Structures are given as structure tokens and as C-alpha cells.
């Protein structure tokens, strides 16, 4: 077992020594410009923001006038995203799959009031190539967070340098588990948020349960709502960082109860705090463990807590017990975080296994072809042990790709699917979907494309189309060898089955006139469809194998063709031109 | 008691002549070659102008230029050692110091003195103090690449520096360790000496101060001059803040922290590319010499050992950070006699607190205390040790898979000889894949792919020990693998007509596992770049066949390529790198060759090899 480390202090050091805190705070201060601290909150808040152009990057600062303090937020009111959806269409993208999040009403109201100007600002951000810092203090920080999310939604994050949203003492934007996951599973998004909070400031922990459950009106779902982004938690002479929502909640609450409450200040001077933190970097720090401490994780955890003013005190048995529990909890979180990192669905690792399974299927296909039946019909007839083995393989592959599609869908579409997976996925779809179709029609069901098709196939097909449209990525150039290709349209066999059903309808004397009419029409359409595929060399030559369902269809169809019927496919089939299909010497016009 | 990796006398001598060299700034290189000594010392004067340290923003760095100093004479197509082999990433060095070396070498005297020393079988020692140490490091690398690598001599040089700034990035260190050159480099660093830390800060953060500081450090004028304390404090804080950003960023990686905010913040600031290389000896100033080989640990120590205990220390430490740059001679004179040396080797188990050491660790514990290392610093060192251990265990895990690879290769070799019996080469048998054997070979190919792709993935993340890519048994195994399996990948590529979608195999389709391993062999045998391409032979055949099919009349267009391929093939056949099954009746190559114009065939170097 490897040693585990708790590296929150290192992240904090890095963030502080980057100098970005000082720089951003200065802009907040500048933006406040002359706001009177003691001005009363009679007329509500007004939003002030300003854009700065620095040598290396741009900064936008958001603050409110008057400065928002705890007393303003006492009557804290959270609005949930479901209520917001109608008024603010942009939250829509955050709320897919039943996710929801909540935000302070004052923040969203401010944001809404300035929607038009902010839209302009957003468009300007998109056009600059310089990296962007979006910063804000208190309620202004919430607006900054919203603005950043809005910006991210429209930004091609893979291409552009990502913005950094740096807030000071702002009420946390909290979301439910679904929101949490959808954001955190997209590392690019969480990576953009850094919230600075100090124990002297109660605003950041205002909405963190169980601190303020009553005012939040969320008592029915305690602990479900969690903060997101990275938090830099600071105390007089130290700080630590975490991006684990559970750990942040624990720490924020512990900081609030750690006996520092009476030191709470109305308006916290983050400028002074940042300056102190920067100067402390070059000091060794106070901590020197007196007791023998073999475990790196424990040592790192205690260091982190010490940095934010939490430590054991003499003669305070109860608090010390809580302290020990907190340490244990944090260690467990760190451990499970590391474990998860290893367990995370990593498609690359399995991709090779997938290829091996596909090779086994390729062999199945080959053997079926040699038997003049084709793997579609071979599987449909389900005769031998071999076919049953394929069921197992198919299940394995389908699970992998379903998971892959689900994971990919959670990320914003814009990221796109990498070429490697597009190839493998398309291959899979073209190889396996026919088997699903075989099962479907074998059970006597109808209309696979509309009723039976699994979503993951649809998505995969859609990805391919998007990639082809966007980047001219092509997987379908005309192959010289139709013997080795898989039929492009993975639903080809479903169309064949539907055509066969139509043939049966026409043969059935009891069928109504309307049914007969539509069947005939469908068959014509099918003929045109097949002919088009043949011209594009988009079907595998295996469909013409003696015992294939397609050839069965043709036999059935041939019998009921009306004498004057004259579509190109009829000519193609009647004159056995398919023998030349794939030989390269077939001339079609 | 532990000892230093080289003799006390050599160190003393190196130090004194390195310091003395500053007195002769007009002599770019000084040689100390006394007939009575078995050592020859080469040393250089320091430079005190900002322009020599930073040729450009932000860190005055540049990629090594493999075409110049580092290309061994004669074999100019051999790639430089100063890179990662598989990934083929060149090392980055400080351009100013590099240019100084180029200037010195422009005059042939250094070369002739070096060659004279080799002829006399003397120990060559490059040494330097301050920025001259940086030049000494680069000169040593020049020597290693030009004299050791081509085996002109087998006597390793030594490089001893005192208070030298860092000169190169982590790939440089990676390369030195891989080549087993790392042990030649010994760097002495005083606990508070600011100079080895200067290049951790970007020029933009300290341009004006740096000029003043270098002026103060120049041994010629006398100091302290007026106001130096204020400048020194300012400078010390700037360097330390930047060093903190760099070391904490590195520590997060060592500890496996995946918080993505790191990357975002890093994109807004400038982090130094420079990393330590070789063995460091930290002088605590209190009587101990602490020897550290782990480069990650050295980087952490460069920051943590210079931290302050308290605020009131600032001015004192800042002054010391300049003064101690000139304390090496006196410090070493005293300490070497006492031989109070501690090696920090088992980093992953270092004591975490100043008084918590077990009995056997007392010397280590005292050394850590004397360097003023906090618990946090010790945790960072542990993480560095842990990562080194992790790399080793990754290597062991791959070593255990060797048996699987061998078994797979044996099976495929068997497949190959079976195919030859049927008068079709295994390439073409596999390409048409008609039998169950072909299919089984395909599954085996894919199984092996899994193992090799894992290795490539780890190399890309530098998760294997530095020497992995030059281990003889792996170079040989990979060559065997490449020769037998890559043809199958080529066959698969063209069988599925992937060239129609993505282009020729060699341009777009060749997997990294073959590119990397080809470079391994070329590096190990010092072959010209791209010359061990025997395993991708079939890809060329496929493209030529395609050309013959689509433009049958245009032989002239491919004449050169064909001639070249025939010549190479003959060499590969003669060297048994490719077996004779390429000439079998049913082979694609035979068919291609037979399709060539009679006129060409009759004079071809392969004429007679193929039955026509």
C-alpha cells in the first residue's frame, strides 16, 4: 500500500504564492471606489462592475453598493433553479438530468437586473485572447460565479484558456448531488472556481448545512446541498485548500464553531488577510509535532486544521473528541478520493479489451459468411453454442459502450468525442446493433427504429454525424473493398425486416386496402434506399449471401412485384448484378 | 559515518581554483594540469550581468540545439542524449550559459586540453563557482556526449560546482539519470545561498533588483555597499515567493493531488522550468553536509531550507543569502575534516518531527533540524521518496509481464513459420485472414498491444524509472516484438482500408508503441534517426502497391523510393532483421517487385533473390 498524503496546504501555498489573490482583491477595492461602509441598505443593492486590462490578462470585478454584510443576508432566501428556469433560460444547461442548485435571491435578482449589459460584457470576453479573471466580493462574488458559469456555457473550453473565477467572502453557490456531479465530472468547469473564505466571515458558510437550515427552508433535505469549486479557507496565519464538497462543508462548519465566532467582523478586510498569507509563505510555520507521527496522511490533516485555527486544547474534552472525529472524517474523504481516482471509469484502459472482443466477433462474422448465411441471420437463428457465446460478448461490449455514452453525455457536448473512440464506437455500433435487431424481430416485435432502438446507438450515430459536419472527419470514404466493411447504416437489417413484414401484409388476403397501400409504398421506398446504399458502396456484400434475410426478402418480394414495376434495384437483383458487387467492376448509373 | 562521493582533496582543490577563476574574467577557461597530480581541472570565471543569466523572458530558457555541440562528430544523424527517448522531447537549458560554453568551445584550446588529459589517462574535473558552475555542468555534458558516449574514453568526468544556479529542466535530469551520468555531478549548496534559487523566479518579477544583486555578488567590488540590506530583503522575498509557487505546485503533483485549480492558476503565472540534476550536498552552516540525490527532493529543499523562523530574521537571513555565496571555501575547509556527512536516501520514511526520530535515525533527524525543515517540508520529502518508490514498483510490475510478452511472441513466431510452409508469408496470410490461425494471431496481437500501450502511457507520464528506456533486456524484447508484430498492425490497417480514411500508415496510423521502441533501439545502438525502420517495411510496400495500381505507368515517380527500399531490404535481410519469407511466391512484396519494369528488375540488387 502506498503512503497517502493530504496536500491541501500545498495547494493553498501555491494559490497564495501565485500573487493572483492580491491582484484580484485590489480590483475589488478599486471597484468599490468610495462606497460608504456604513451606508444603510434602504434602497436595496446596486451592482457595480468594472473591466480592467492588465499586461497579461483581463480582470472583471463585481461588487455591490452598499457592501453586503451578514445583516443584509440574515433573512437569507434561497431560490432553487427549478423556480429560476422560466426567468433565466441560461440556467437550463446546469439543470439537465434533474439536477438543481440554489442561489441567494439577492444575487440572482441583481444578475437579472443587469442581464443586457452583462450579455454585452460576456460577448466581449469571448473575443479577447487574453486569459480572464472574474472576481467579486461578498454578494458580488455570487454574481461573478453566475457570470462565469454563463460564460463557460458559451465558451469552447477546450480551445480557449479557461477563465478563473476568484471570489472573496461570498455566499456559496450550493447545488444538490446531481448538480455537484454534473459540474465536478467536468473538471474544466470546477477548475475555474476559487472561493476565498475566512473564519472571521460568516457569509461564505451561510448556506452550508446544518448551519442555517431554518432560514434556508431546506430542513427536509439536510446535507444534500453542497458547495462547489475550490475553497481557500484562511485563518490568522495560515490557510488550506480543498475541492472536496464534503470536506469543505465540514471545515466551514468547524471553523464557524471553533470558538472564533466572537471574533466575527462585520466587514472583513480580505486585503489584509491576503497580505498576511503572502508574507507567511516564507516562514517555516509554527507547527512542530511533538509526538511521534508515522503516518503522513494524519500529519498532513492535522497541519491543515492547525492552519485554519483548529487544534486540540487542554481541558476541553468534548471539543477534542469532535476534533478527533473531524480528523478521521477528513482522512476517510481523502482515502476514498484517492480510491475513486483509481476506480474512475477510464475508457482508455478497457479499450483494448474491447478490441479483443471485437476480434472474436469478427471471427464469428467470418465463419457465418463461409456458411453462406451471414452473421445477422446466423445469430437470429441461434443454433449453436457459438451463437450463445456471442450473446455474452455482446453483453460485455454493450455495457462498456452504454457506460461510455452515459459518461460522455454528462459532459458538455462541445468537448466532442475523440477520434479514437469515434472509430471504435462506430465499429461497435455497426457490428453489434444488427444483433439487437435480430433479437428484436425474432421475438415478433415491430418497428425497431422507433420503438426498440437503444438510446446509446442513437447518441453514437449523432456524434459521428456531428464530427463529420464539424471537422470534415470521415469514416465513410468509398472503400474499394465492400467485402471487409460493415454496413454503414447499423439499422439496415431493421429496414429489411420491416420490408419483409410489408411483403407478408401484401400476401395476406385479409389485409385492409390502406395497409396494402402503405406496405406497397414502403417497399418502394425500401428499394430506393437499398439501391442508394449499393451505389455508395455502403452495404457489406454479405447481404447477398444465399441464406440471408435480405435474399429471403427478395424472393418474397419478387413473387408479388407487379409486372410493369421497374425500379433500378429490381433490375440489379433480377440480373444478378450483385455477383459483381465488390469486385470493383460493377458499373451503375 | 557516511562519506562524500568524492575525495576531500579534489573538493578543496576544485573549490579554491573555482573561486580563483573569478580573478581572471578575461580568461574564458582555465586549466589546472600539474604533472604531479592525476586530476586535470577545468574552470571558468563567473558572469555578473543580467543579460548573461537571462537572454529572454520569462526564464531565459531554450531547447537544446541537437545539431550543434551535442552532435558527436562524424555520426551527425544520431540524436542527442539530452531528451526523453520515446516521447522524443528535447531538454531545455539556460540559453545564456549555453552561449558561454559555445563561445569557449569556439576556441579549440579546451578541446585539445581535454584530449590531452584523455591521452594521459587523467581524471577530468569540470568545476565552477556561481554562474561558472552552470557552465561547468554544460561543459561536462558536452564531454559526456562527445567522448564517453562514442567510447573514446571510459573514464567518467567529474563536475563539482559551488553555489551554481540551476541550468536545465527535468528532461535534462531525466536524460542524465537514464544515461547513468548523474553520479558525475556534485553540487555544493549553502543553506542560505540565494544564487542556486535565483532561476526559480521569472526575470519580470525582479529585473531591477537582479542587476543590483549581481553587482553586489561580483567579488570584485567590495561590499556591503549602501542600502544593500533593503535590496537584499526585497530580492530574497521575491525569489522565495516564486520558489514557493513552484515547489508547492511540484509537491501537489508528488502527493497525487488532482485538484484542477492547480492547472488553472498555473496558466496565469510563470513557473520556472528549471530543475536540479545530479547529487546535491547541502551545507547546513552548522557542521553537517547533507547529501541528496532525488531531484524532486532537492527542489523542495532549495525552498524549505531557506525559510525564516520568524519575522525578525528577515534582514539577517537576506544578508546571509548573499554573503554565504562566498563561504564555500571556508565552510568546506572545516567540515570536510570532520566528515560529518548524512545521506538522505530513504526519503519515504523520514521522521516528521524534530524530536520524533527513532534511535537509528538520529543523524538524519539532526540534519533535518539543522536545515530548519518543518513538518510540511518533511512531508514533501516523503512524497518525493514515495514517488521514486512508485516508479520502481511500476517497473517491477512491467518486468513481471515479460513472461506474457515472451509467450505471445513465441506463439506469433510459430504462426509465422507455419505460414511460410504454405508458401505465403505471415504478412499476407494475416492480411487476408482466412483461417482460424490468422484470427488467433489477431487476438494475440491485441493482447500484446494492451501491455505495450500501458508502457507507452506510463512513459508519457514519466511514471517509470528514468533508465527504463535504455535497459538492454527491454530494448531487445521490444525489437523482437516490433519485428514480429508491427507487420500485423500494418496488415490490419490496410485490410480495413484505414488508409482511405486517414492516409498512409506511416503518416497517420503508426502506433506510438512502435515509434517509441524504434527510438529505443536507435538510441541504444547509436544508430542514425529513423534507420531501424525494418518493422514498418510492409507499410512502404503497401503504399507502393497502391501507386502501381492507381498509376501503373508512372514508375519514374517511385523509382527512387523503390531503389531505396530495395537497398534497405537487402541490408535487413543480410542482417537477419527481416526474414526471407518476404520473397515467397504469394508475398505482396514479390508481387510488387514482379510488377516493376523489366529494365529495373534486371539490374536490381534483389535480382536473384526472387524467382521470376
Amino acid at each position: 500500500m502506498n503512503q497517502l498524503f493530504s496536500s491541501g496546504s500545498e495547494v493553498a501555498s501555491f494559490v497564495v504564492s501565485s500573487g493572483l489573490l492580491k491582484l484580484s482583491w485590489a480590483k475589488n477595492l478599486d471597484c468599490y471606489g468610495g462606497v460608504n461602509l456604513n451606508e444603510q441598505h434602504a434602497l436595496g443593492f446596486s451592482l457595480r462592475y468594472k473591466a480592467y486590462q492588465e499586461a497579461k490578462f483581463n480582470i472583471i470585478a463585481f461588487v455591490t453598493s452598499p457592501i453586503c454584510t451578514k445583516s443584509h443576508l440574515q433573512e437569507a432566501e434561497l431560490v432553487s433553479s427549478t423556480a429560476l428556469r422560466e426567468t433565466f433560460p441560461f440556467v437550463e444547461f446546469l439543470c439537465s438530468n434533474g439536477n438543481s442548485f440554489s442561489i441567494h435571491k439577492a444575487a440572482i435578482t441583481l444578475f437579472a437586473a443587469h442581464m443586457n449589459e452583462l450579455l454585452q460584457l460576456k460577448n466581449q470576453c469571448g473575443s479577447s485572447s487574453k486569459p480572464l479573471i472574474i472576481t467579486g466580493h461578498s454578494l458580488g462574488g455570487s454574481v461573478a460565479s453566475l457570470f462565469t458559469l454563463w460564460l463557460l456555457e458559451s465558451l469552447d473550453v477546450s480551445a480557449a484558456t479557461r477563465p478563473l473565477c476568484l471570489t472573496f467572502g461570498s455566499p456559496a453557490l450550493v447545488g444538490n448531488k446531481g448538480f455537484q456531479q454534473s459540474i465536478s465530472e467536468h473538471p474544466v468547469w470546477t477548475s475555474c472556481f476559487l472561493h476565498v473564505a475566512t473564519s472571521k466571515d460568516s457569509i461564505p458558510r451561510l448556506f452550508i448545512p446544518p448551519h442555517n437550515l431554518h432560514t434556508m427552508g431546506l430542513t427536509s433535505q439536510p446535507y444534500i446541498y453542497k458547495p462547489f469549486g475550490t475553497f481557500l479557507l484562511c485563518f490568522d496565519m495560515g490557510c488550506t485548500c480543498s475541492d472536496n464538497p464534503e470536506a469543505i462543508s465540514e471545515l466551514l462548519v468547524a471553523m464557524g464553531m471553533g470558538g472564533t465566532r466572537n471574533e466575527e467582523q462585520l466587514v472583513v478586510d480580505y486585503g489584509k488577510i491576503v497580505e498576511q498569507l503572502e508574507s507567511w509563505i516564507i516562514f517555516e510555520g509554527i507547527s512542530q509535532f511533538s509526538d511521534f507521527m508515522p503516518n503522513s496522511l494524519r500529519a498532513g490533516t492535522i497541519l491543515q486544521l492547525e492552519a485554519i485555527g483548529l487544534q486540540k486544547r487542554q481541558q476541553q474534552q468534548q471539543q477534542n473528541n469532535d476534533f478527533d472525529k473531524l480528523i478521521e472524517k477528513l482522512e476517510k474523504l481523502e482515502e476514498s478520493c484517492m480510491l475513486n481516482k483509481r476506480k474512475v471509469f477510464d475508457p482508455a484502459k478497457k479499450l483494448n479489451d474491447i478490441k479483443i472482443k471485437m476480434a472474436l466477433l469478427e471471427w464469428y462474422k467470418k465463419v457465418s459468411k463461409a456458411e453462406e448465411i451471414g452473421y445477422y441471420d446466423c445469430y437470429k437463428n441461434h443454433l449453436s453454442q457459438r451463437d450463445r457465446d456471442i450473446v455474452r460478448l455482446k453483453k460485455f461490449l454493450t455495457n462498456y459502450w452504454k457506460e461510455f455514452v452515459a459518461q460522455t453525455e454528462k459532459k458538455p457536448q462541445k468537448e466532442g468525442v475523440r477520434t479514437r473512440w469515434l472509430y471504435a464506437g462506430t465499429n461497435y455500433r455497426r457490428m453489434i446493433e444488427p444483433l439487437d435487431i435480430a433479437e428484436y424481430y425474432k421475438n415478433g416485435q415491430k418497428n425497431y427504429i422507433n420503438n426498440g432502438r437503444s438510446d446509446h446507438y442513437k447518441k453514437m450515430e449523432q456524434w459521428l454525424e456531428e464530427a463529420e459536419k464539424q471537422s470534415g472527419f470521415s469514416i465513410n470514404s468509398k472503400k474499394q473493398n465492400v467485402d471487409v466493411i460493415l454496413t454503414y447504416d447499423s439499422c439496415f437489417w431493421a429496414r429489411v425486416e420491416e420490408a419483409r413484414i410489408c411483403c407478408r401484409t401484401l400476401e395476406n388476403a385479409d389485409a385492409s386496402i390502406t395497409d396494402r397501400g402503405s406496405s406497397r409504398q414502403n417497399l418502394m421506398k425500401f428499394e430506393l434506399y437499398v439501391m442508394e446504399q449499393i451505389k455508395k458502396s455502403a452495404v457489406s456484400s454479405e447481404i447477398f449471401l444465399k441464406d440471408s434475410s435480405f435474399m429471403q426478402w427478395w424472393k418474397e418480394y419478387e413473387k408479388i412485384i407487379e409486372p410493369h414495376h421497374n425500379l433500378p434495384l429490381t433490375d440489379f437483383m433480377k440480373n444478378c448484378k450483385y455477383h459483381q458487387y465488390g469486385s470493383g467492376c460493377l458499373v451503375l448509373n | 559515518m557516511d562519506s562524500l562521493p568524492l575525495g576531500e582533496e579534489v573538493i578543496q582543490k576544485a573549490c579554491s581554483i573555482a573561486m580563483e577563476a573569478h580573478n581572471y574574467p578575461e580568461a574564458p577557461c582555465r586549466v589546472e594540469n600539474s604533472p604531479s597530480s592525476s586530476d586535470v581541472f577545468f574552470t571558468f570565471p563567473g558572469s555578473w550581468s543580467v543579460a548573461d543569466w537571462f537572454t529572454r523572458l520569462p526564464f531565459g530558457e531554450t531547447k537544446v540545439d541537437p545539431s550543434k555541440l551535442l552532435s558527436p562528430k562524424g555520426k551527425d544523424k544520431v540524436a542527442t542524449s539530452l531528451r526523453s527517448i520515446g516521447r522524443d522531447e528535447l531538454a531545455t537549458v539556460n540559453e545564456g550559459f549555453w552561449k558561454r560554453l559555445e563561445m569557449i568551445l569556439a576556441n579549440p584550446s579546451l578541446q585539445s586540453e581535454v584530449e590531452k588529459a584523455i591521452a594521459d589517462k587523467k581524471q577530468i574535473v569540470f568545476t565552477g563557482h556561481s554562474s561558472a558552475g552552470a557552465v561547468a555542468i554544460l561543459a561536462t555534458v558536452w564531454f559526456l556526449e562527445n567522448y564517453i558516449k562514442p567510447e573514446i574514453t571510459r573514464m567518467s568526468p567529474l563536475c563539482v560546482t559551488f553555489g551554481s544556479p540551476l541550468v536545465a529542466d527535468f528532461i535534462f535530469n531525466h536524460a542524465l539519470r537514464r544515461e547513468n551520468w548523474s553520479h558525475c555531478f556534485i553540487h555544493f549548496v549553502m543553506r542560505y545561498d540565494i544564487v542556486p534559487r535565483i532561476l526559480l523566479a521569472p526575470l519580470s518579477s525582479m529585473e531591477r533588483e537582479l542587476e543590483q544583486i549581481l553587482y553586489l555578488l561580483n567579488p570584485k567590488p567590495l561590499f556591503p555597499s549602501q542600502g544593500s540590506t533593503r535590496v537584499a530583503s526585497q530580492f530574497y522575498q521575491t525569489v522565495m515567493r516564486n520558489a514557493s509557487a513552484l515547489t508547492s505546485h511540484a509537491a501537489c503533483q508528488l502527493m497525487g493531488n488532482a485538484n484542477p485549480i492547480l492547472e488553472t492558476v498555473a496558466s496565469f503565472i510563470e513557473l520556472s522550468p528549471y530543475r536540479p540534476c545530479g547529487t546535491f550536498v547541502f551545507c547546513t552552516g552548522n557542521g553537517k553536509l547533507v547529501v541528496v540525490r532525488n531531484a524532486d527532493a532537492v527542489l523542495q529543499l532549495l525552498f524549505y531550507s531557506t525559510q525564516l523562523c520568524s519575522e525578525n530574521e528577515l534582514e539577517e537571513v537576506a544578508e546571509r543569502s548573499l554573503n554565504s555565496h562566498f563561504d564555500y571555501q571556508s565552510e568546506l575547509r572545516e567540515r570536510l575534516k570532520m566528515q560529518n556527512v548524512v545521506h538522505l536516501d530513504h526519503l519515504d520514511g523520514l521522521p516528521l518531527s524534530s524530536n520524533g526520530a527513532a534511535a537509528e535515525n538520529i543523524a538524519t533527524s539532526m540534519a533535518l533540524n539543522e536545515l530548519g525543515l518543518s513538518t510540511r517540508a518533511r512531508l514533501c520529502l516523503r512524497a518525493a521518496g514515495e514517488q521514486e518508490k512508485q516508479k520502481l514498483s511500476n517497473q517491477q510490475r512491467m518486468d513481471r509481464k515479460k513472461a506474457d510478452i515472451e509467450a505471445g511472441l513465441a506463439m506469433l513466431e510459430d504462426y509465422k513459420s507455419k505460414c511460410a510452409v504454405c508458401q505465403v508469408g505471415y504478412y499476407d496470410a494475416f492480411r487476408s485472414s482466412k483461417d482460424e490461425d490468422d484470427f488467433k494471431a489477431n487476438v494475440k496481437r491485441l493482447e500484446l498491444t494492451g501491455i505495450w500501450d500501458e508502457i507507452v502511457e506510463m512513459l508519457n507520464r514519466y511514471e517509470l524509472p528514468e533508465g527504463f528506456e535504455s535497459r538492454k533486456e527491454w530494448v531487445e524484447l521490444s525489437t523482437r516484438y516490433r519485428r514480429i508484430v508491427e507487420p500485423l498492425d500494418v496488415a490490419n490497417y490496410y485490410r480495413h482500408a484505414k488508409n482511405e480514411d486517414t492516409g498512409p500508415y506511416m503518416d497517420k496510423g503508426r502506433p506510438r508503441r512502435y515509434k517509441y521502441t524504434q527510438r529505443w533501439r536507435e538510441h541504444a545502438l547509436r544508430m542514425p534517426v529513423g534507420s531501424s525502420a525494418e518493422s514498418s517495411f510492409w507499410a512502404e510496400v503497401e503504399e507502393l502497391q497502391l501507386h502501381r495500381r492507381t498509376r501503373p505507368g508512372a514508375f519514374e515517380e517511385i523509382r527512387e523510393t523503390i531503389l531505396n527500399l530495395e537497398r534497405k531490404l537487402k541490408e535487413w535481410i543480410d542482417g537477419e532483421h527481416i526474414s526471407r519469407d518476404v520473397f515467397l511466391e504469394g508475398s505482396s512484396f514479390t508481387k510488387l517487385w514482379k510488377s516493376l519494369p523489366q529494365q529495373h528488375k534486371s539490374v536490381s540488387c534483389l535480382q536473384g533473390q526472387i524467382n521470376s
Side-chain angles (χ1 to χ4, degrees), chain A residues 502 506 514-526 557 560-562 565:
Chain A
C502 289
L506 288 176
T514 13
D515 282 352
R516 297 171 83 83
S518 69
S519 292
R520 194 152 299 277
Q521 230 170 6
N522 287 340
L523 282 164
M524 303 260 276
K525 266 193 225 153
F526 178 66
Y557 188 52
I560 54 175
I561 293 177
E562 289 161 16
H565 183 87

Side-chain angles (χ1 to χ4, degrees), chain A residues 2-3 7 10 13-14 17 162 191 281-284 289 292 294 296 341 352 362-363 366 477-479, chain B residues 241 244-245 256-257 263-264 307-308 348 352-353 356 376 382 386 390 433 439 446 450 495 500-501:
Chain A
N2 300 322
Q3 271 191 79
S7 45
E10 298 306 319
S13 266
F14 175 62
S17 34
R162 40 183 114 140
S191 74
I281 279 174
I282 54 175
F283 296 122
E284 269 170 38
F289 284 105
F292 184 61
S296 300
K341 216 172 79 185
N352 202 58
E362 217 180 295
W363 178 245
K366 188 141 217 157
S477 56
K478 200 163 173 177
K479 306 270 175 149
Chain B
R241 194 166 57 78
S244 160
N257 189 306
E263 208 186 310
T264 308
Q307 275 186 315
L308 303 177
D348 54 297
L352 287 178
S353 63
R376 254 185 71 189
R382 273 196 178 189
E386 192 63 38
Q390 183 60 45
S433 276
F439 150 79
L446 287 163
R495 181 161 74 99
E500 289 175 30
D501 293 330

Side-chain angles (χ1 to χ4, degrees), chain A residues 1-20 22 56-58 131-133 161-165 186-188 190-194 229-231 239 241-244 278-285 287-297 299-301 303 334 338 341 346 348-349 352-353 355-364 366 419-420 423 427 473-481 484-485 488, chain B residues 191-192 204 236-237 240-242 244-249 251-252 254-271 300 303-304 306-312 314 347-349 351-358 369 371-380 382-384 386 389-390 393 432-437 439 442-443 445-451 453-454 457 461 492 495-498 500-502 512 546 549-550:
Chain A
M1 184 60 192
N2 300 322
Q3 271 191 79
L4 288 181
F5 294 91
S6 173
S7 45
S9 315
E10 298 306 319
V11 182
S13 266
F14 175 62
V15 166
V16 172
S17 34
S18 75
L20 296 181
K22 202 172 173 180
K56 284 175 197 145
F57 31 80
N58 298 330
L132 173 68
I133 296 178
T161 34
R162 40 183 114 140
L164 173 66
C165 176
H186 196 314
V188 177
T190 16
S191 74
C192 298
F193 292 87
L194 178 64
T230 296
F231 275 70
C239 55
C241 250
S242 176
D243 63 336
N244 182 318
E278 273 202 19
S279 68
W280 272 96
I281 279 174
I282 54 175
F283 296 122
E284 269 170 38
S287 183
Q288 280 290 348
F289 284 105
S290 48
D291 40 350
F292 184 61
M293 186 82 64
N295 177 339
S296 300
L297 180 59
T301 311
L303 275 184
E334 191 74 39
M338 284 290 176
K341 216 172 79 185
D346 179 6
K349 264 197 178 140
N352 202 58
D353 287 347
K355 284 188 178 165
I356 293 177
K357 302 277 191 273
M358 286 295 283
L360 296 170
L361 271 159
E362 217 180 295
W363 178 245
Y364 176 68
K366 188 141 217 157
T419 324
R420 229 170 135 189
Y423 269 120
N427 238 342
F473 171 84
S474 158
I475 202 166
N476 288 346
S477 56
K478 200 163 173 177
K479 306 270 175 149
Q480 291 179 341
N481 196 348
V484 296
I485 64 157
Y488 291 175
Chain B
R191 177 177 169 191
Y192 286 109
S204 57
Y236 167 81
Q237 290 182 69
M240 284 298 277
R241 194 166 57 78
N242 284 288
S244 160
L246 182 69
T247 49
S248 51
H249 189 260
C252 289
L254 292 174
M255 293 179 177
N257 189 306
N259 188 339
I261 196 79
L262 293 167
E263 208 186 310
T264 308
V265 172
S267 74
F268 283 85
I269 59 172
E270 286 157 339
L271 287 175
Q300 298 295 328
F303 169 70
Y304 280 112
T306 322
Q307 275 186 315
L308 303 177
C309 294
S310 69
E311 222 160 332
N312 359 349
L314 175 61
L347 292 168
D348 54 297
L352 287 178
S353 63
S354 51
N355 49 2
N369 292 346
L371 286 172
L373 299 183
S374 62
T375 304
R376 254 185 71 189
R378 293 160 192 240
L379 281 168
C380 293
R382 273 196 178 189
E386 192 63 38
K389 242 172 67 179
Q390 183 60 45
S393 94
S432 52
S433 276
K434 289 202 179 97
D435 299 321
E436 193 159 6
D437 278 349
F439 150 79
N442 194 25
V443 172
R445 169 185 76 92
L446 287 163
E447 283 171 13
L448 291 172
T449 300
I451 303 177
D453 279 355
E454 195 182 349
E457 203 48 50
R461 289 190 250 134
N492 196 55
R495 181 161 74 99
H496 288 119
K498 287 192 189 160
E500 289 175 30
D501 293 330
T502 25
R512 285 182 304 191
L546 189 68
R549 266 202 307 276
T550 49

